Amino acid sequence: MDFGQFISYIASGTVYTVGVTLVALPSGLLIGTILALLYVYGGKAAARVMNLYSTVFRGIPPLVLLFILYFAVTKGINLSAFWAGSLSLGIVSSAYQMEIVRGALLSVSGDQLMAARAIGLSRLQAIRYVVLPQAVRLAIPPWSNEAAIVIKDSSLVYALGVPEILRRAQLIGASSQRYLLAYLSAAVIYFLLVFGTTRLLAMLEKKLTIPSNP
Amino acid sequence: MPEPILTIKNLTKKYGENVIFQNLDLTVNEGDTIVIIGPSGTGKSTLLRCINLLTRPDDGQIWLDNKEITARGTDEDKVRQHIGMVFQNFLLFNHLTALGNVKLGLDKVKKMSDKEATEKAMHELARVGLADRADHYPGQLSGGQQQRVGIARALAMDPRIMLFDEPTSALDPELIGEVLEVMRQLALEGMTMLVVTHEMGFAREVADRIVFMEKGYIVEQGSPNEMFNHPKFPRTREFLWKITELYGKKEKEAD
């Protein structure tokens, strides 16, 4: 096997890595945002429930949750390794993303919400048109951090046998006995994915920056 | 006989044990400019916030145009459309341009078409002398300009009454004049205004009535002439003297 084949075998796992990330990150964002809104605006009872959710899912290693979901929960509904892995990571991430969005909402809310209500906007309108657009901007830097973590954590689904980058590196390393090269290749691919993503988000952050005088 | 726009009866607000004001009465007639003065922590800002229901009073009633807005089942969002509010810290929406700030309520609350809303918003910006700053973001405007946008934003809703909560207190002295000028103009146009301020020059010149509040009570109220020249209570005289001394200097600098 020549070097090109060696690399492309590992690199072809990128499809799975990106796939897992593209399920986990947006599902985590959707759940996290909804829960954050409930946390901040849903009253005391909702806040307590959200706090519990956050504490529980941030307190369990993603790999453990992954195994629980795959081996225990999916017995009944026959979830594939890919979906079980992606959704577990999405749930774990949702707890972190909830905290990110919550922080952003809290730092915009208060006065801005009051000013919006003062011109007759309903609470929902005020959140939607005044608080959220500003919160999104504040959330991008910490969210970029979380995106990097999810890309890297996607490697955990290797434990379920999903043929993503790490899994392939492990297989080809074992069969060729060139472990170092295999894992180095995997490291470079992960790095490029993370680097590209954070750069894109940095560009988005810059694009969305509200103009102001220095 | 002028019609009262706003009538407040027996209004009480407490935070826990802490009584902000108690059994407060106040009437504002159409076209009046009423200036509320008093030491800080007297409940002036809380009073304004109770009037547009941003804070719920604990007891008492408020009528706006003979309709009790403190009644159960009142649509608060509707009430607030008719009461303009200008804040000490401007509180412009930071992610929107000056035009966007003024347009938002027209767009989402009054449901105007984009064209109508833009025209109306531009008209209000022109009214405060900022038509040429329409596409600037709050961060690109001076404090005085931001506050004028804040006034335009409130005016755009065609309110029955405008509440000003220390509109110039956060401004550098040289920027106060432009905001007071806009307010003076509004008063001349017949807008009904309730203004909490320490600007005695403005109070003396523009107010139809000055209300002196202290420790949650209205100590005394009357025309600027009565209040400045023949106050009934020594406390009123003392406060007015002190505040004029303190802020008079600032006003001179601003001129």
Side-chain angles (χ1 to χ4, degrees):
Chain A
M1 182 189 286
D2 67 19
F3 184 68
Q5 281 175 311
F6 186 91
I7 296 291
S8 75
Y9 178 79
I10 298 173
S12 61
T14 307
V15 180
Y16 289 97
T17 297
V18 171
V20 169
T21 307
L22 284 183
V23 173
L25 204 54
S27 62
L29 177 63
L30 184 70
I31 300 171
T33 304
I34 294 170
L35 298 187
L37 285 167
L38 285 170
Y39 200 144
V40 177
Y41 300 112
K44 275 192 188 129
R48 223 170 285 144
V49 174
M50 297 312 139
N51 189 27
L52 183 71
Y53 180 91
S54 160
T55 310
V56 168
F57 285 112
R58 287 189 303 158
I60 302 172
L63 192 56
V64 175
L65 191 73
L66 213 124
F67 283 144
I68 292 174
L69 205 69
Y70 186 56
F71 293 113
V73 181
T74 65
K75 275 230 169 100
I77 51 172
N78 203 6
L79 215 55
S80 73
F82 173 84
W83 284 102
S86 303
L87 291 177
S88 309
L89 290 174
I91 291 170
V92 172
S93 181
S94 74
Y96 288 94
Q97 297 196 52
M98 173 177 87
E99 296 295 349
I100 291 170
V101 177
R102 180 170 84 102
L105 288 174
L106 283 177
S107 53
V108 176
S109 238
D111 281 355
Q112 287 281 314
L113 193 67
M114 179 173 70
R117 299 301 303 276
I119 54 170
L121 290 175
S122 70
R123 195 172 155 82
L124 219 58
Q125 284 178 319
I127 293 168
R128 171 149 175 224
Y129 298 116
V130 175
V131 178
L132 269 180
Q134 297 183 61
V136 165
R137 290 170 165 93
L138 290 177
I140 292 174
W143 196 78
S144 167
N145 211 2
E146 177 62 16
I149 288 170
V150 171
I151 292 173
K152 290 183 287 182
D153 275 0
S154 75
S155 62
L156 292 174
V157 299
Y158 99 102
L160 303 181
V162 178
E164 48 72 70
I165 296 168
L166 180 60
R167 179 75 179 160
R168 283 165 179 269
Q170 193 187 32
L171 289 173
I172 203 166
S175 66
S176 67
Q177 292 299 307
R178 293 160 79 183
Y179 280 112
L180 183 63
L181 182 63
Y183 288 130
L184 272 176
S185 309
V188 169
I189 300 171
Y190 279 119
F191 175 81
L192 289 176
L193 287 173
V194 170
F195 182 73
T197 305
T198 48
R199 282 302 294 268
L200 271 177
L201 285 168
M203 276 159 63
L204 181 69
E205 185 191 342
K206 204 168 169 195
K207 198 173 136 65
L208 289 181
T209 299
I210 300 159
S212 75
N213 291 339
Chain B
M1 184 70 187
E3 277 287 300
I5 280 192
L6 186 78
T7 310
I8 298 171
K9 275 217 171 87
N10 290 321
L11 204 68
T12 299
K13 178 69 193 173
K14 302 175 204 164
Y15 287 115
E17 291 289 289
N18 190 9
V19 178
I20 308 298
F21 46 76
Q22 204 159 19
N23 298 328
L24 195 129
D25 296 327
L26 188 70
T27 307
V28 182
N29 289 331
E30 176 133 37
D32 273 2
T33 297
I34 296 191
V35 169
I36 303 177
I37 58 173
S40 53
T42 302
K44 301 171 308 236
S45 296
T46 309
L47 174 62
L48 293 192
R49 272 160 213 214
C50 281
I51 292 172
N52 74 350
L53 307 178
L54 285 173
T55 301
R56 272 268 157 199
D58 293 297
D59 204 4
Q61 291 95 36
I62 303 171
W63 286 267
L64 181 71
D65 281 326
N66 299 317
K67 222 180 125 211
E68 194 198 331
I69 60 175
T70 38
R72 288 205 174 280
T74 304
D75 183 348
E76 295 180 10
D77 298 337
K78 219 161 222 144
V79 170
R80 290 198 197 99
Q81 288 177 42
H82 303 297
I83 303 177
M85 177 110 175
V86 174
F87 300 93
Q88 183 176 353
N89 303 320
F90 329 135
L91 301 188
L92 295 186
F93 308 132
N94 296 315
H95 63 304
L96 297 176
T97 59
L99 181 68
N101 266 275
V102 183
K103 255 176 81 170
L104 188 67
L106 301 172
D107 189 9
K108 305 298 177 198
V109 179
K110 294 210 170 201
K111 314 271 183 209
M112 284 185 181
S113 71
D114 188 63
K115 187 166 166 281
E116 264 184 302
T118 305
E119 267 170 25
K120 169 91 171 145
M122 283 308 293
H123 170 75
E124 300 302 344
L125 283 173
R127 221 167 142 185
V128 298
L130 287 173
D132 59 332
R133 294 283 185 277
D135 59 349
H136 284 51
Y137 285 86
Q140 298 172 308
L141 298 171
S142 73
Q145 290 171 333
Q146 288 191 51
Q147 190 58 295
R148 282 146 70 197
V149 174
I151 294 172
R153 177 175 71 182
L155 285 176
M157 304 304 287
D158 290 326
R160 292 287 289 147
I161 181 169
M162 287 279 285
L163 311 177
F164 292 85
D165 187 6
E166 300 203 26
T168 56
S169 298
L171 290 174
D172 289 338
E174 75 267 23
L175 300 176
I176 290 175
E178 61 189 74
V179 173
L180 291 181
E181 186 47 44
V182 167
M183 292 169 63
R184 191 172 290 138
Q185 199 56 43
L186 273 181
L188 280 179
E189 288 168 19
M191 174 60 75
T192 309
M193 295 165 43
L194 196 51
V195 184
V196 172
T197 186
H198 296 301
E199 297 298 332
M200 287 306 118
F202 177 84
R204 198 191 276 264
E205 190 192 333
V206 183
D208 296 295
R209 183 154 38 108
I210 295 176
V211 175
F212 175 47
M213 251 178 102
E214 188 169 48
K215 296 187 183 122
Y217 292 97
I218 293 179
V219 177
E220 184 171 355
Q221 49 182 313
S223 71
N225 180 37
E226 288 166 343
M227 294 293 276
F228 279 99
N229 301 327
H230 322 284
K232 292 190 196 79
F233 296 90
R235 184 65 194 118
T236 311
R237 182 194 303 273
E238 196 186 320
F239 180 80
L240 277 171
W241 190 82
K242 218 192 294 179
I243 208 90
T244 308
E245 165 104 327
L246 220 95
Y247 285 83
K249 278 185 199 142
K250 219 158 85 177
E251 267 169 40
K252 266 202 193 103
E253 282 169 33
D255 284 340

